[in-house]
Amino acid sequence: MKSSKILGLILLALVLFSTSCTKSEESPIEENIDGTYLQFSTTTGNEQNDIVLYSNWVKTEFPQSSNSGSVQWHLPYIPNELLNLDQDVVLIFAKRNHLFQLPMTAPTSNEHYTTDFGKYAKGVLASIRVYAFNWQTEPLNDIFFGANTEAMFRVVIVPGQKMFELSATNSNTIESFTYEELASRFNIPDGL
């Protein structure tokens, strides 16, 4: 009886070990995301060793409207070797007649936009979510950055070591820069 219990425990351990160690297992979110990557360019700033990365402008894939109170859209992956989420600053800008830094609120359309980043085997996934002000009771009738608006998004990555240099010489943090200030400081072509 004692040996059958031991044999049963060994079999249970083998089953658990074989099911927990499967190769290249992806999270459910990665299975639903296209494996494309954002294309980045580098530029040097006004001071020596000021290097930042900026993505191409990506057309919005938000719907024009939704019956839901919130909608999420994922930008293409950012390669893991280009972004260290623990050290780098990531800024996302939206363009629709004017430039906006996310997160932002669009009071005229009663919407709020937030960003989120998740690290996966394929890369870092930047997500943008739009909420209606009263998201539990109101649908998103006319999304400000919807597909018919020709809105676009750009990601700018400022390596972590640059933050310490900037904060020592400037009372403003990089997050408070307008797009125009950032483009001027780091010589980012506007691409408008």
Side-chain angles (χ1 to χ4, degrees):
M1 175 117 158
K2 189 175 184 181
S3 62
S4 64
K5 283 185 180 181
I6 292 173
L7 184 58
L9 288 174
I10 291 172
L11 286 174
L12 178 64
L14 286 172
V15 167
L16 289 174
F17 180 76
S18 66
T19 59
S20 66
C21 294
T22 59
K23 283 188 173 180
S24 67
E25 201 172 300
E26 295 182 344
S27 68
I29 193 168
E30 280 195 283
E31 293 172 359
N32 297 322
I33 305 299
D34 185 9
T36 60
Y37 291 90
L38 268 176
Q39 299 300 308
F40 283 87
S41 299
T42 57
T43 183
T44 55
N46 299 333
E47 295 180 21
Q48 191 174 21
N49 297 326
D50 275 354
I51 298 174
V52 296
L53 298 151
Y54 62 94
S55 75
N56 53 326
W57 286 100
V58 179
K59 289 185 179 182
T60 185
E61 291 187 19
F62 278 118
Q64 195 57 37
S65 63
S66 172
N67 292 329
S68 175
S70 79
V71 176
Q72 184 174 15
W73 171 55
H74 305 286
L75 289 163
Y77 284 101
I78 300 169
N80 283 322
E81 61 271 12
L82 297 183
L83 177 59
N84 181 335
L85 284 173
D86 295 327
Q87 295 178 3
D88 301 340
V89 174
V90 185
L91 304 170
I92 297 181
F93 293 94
K95 175 172 61 169
R96 180 190 159 181
N97 300 328
H98 298 287
L99 288 162
F100 306 89
Q101 183 177 345
L102 301 182
M104 68 151 292
T105 299
T108 56
S109 52
N110 295 322
E111 297 170 355
H112 183 69
Y113 289 82
T114 61
T115 59
D116 187 35
F117 301 93
K119 188 167 179 143
Y120 299 95
K122 290 182 182 175
V124 176
L125 192 62
S127 301
I128 302 172
R129 182 177 291 274
V130 56
Y131 296 92
F133 280 175
N134 299 316
W135 62 273
Q136 293 175 322
T137 58
E138 289 182 13
L140 292 161
N141 292 326
D142 187 17
I143 296 177
F144 185 74
F145 293 118
N148 293 345
T149 65
E150 298 183 19
M152 303 178 94
F153 296 92
R154 171 176 269 176
V155 176
V156 177
I157 300 172
V158 181
Q161 66 270 22
K162 301 295 174 248
M163 290 305 301
F164 299 111
E165 295 170 17
L166 285 171
S167 61
T169 60
N170 192 336
S171 60
N172 293 333
T173 63
I174 198 77
E175 291 96 337
S176 68
F177 281 25
T178 65
Y179 182 81
E180 291 80 10
E181 291 170 331
L182 192 71
S184 174
R185 169 87 163 94
F186 293 104
N187 297 319
I188 299 173
D190 62 2
L192 299 177

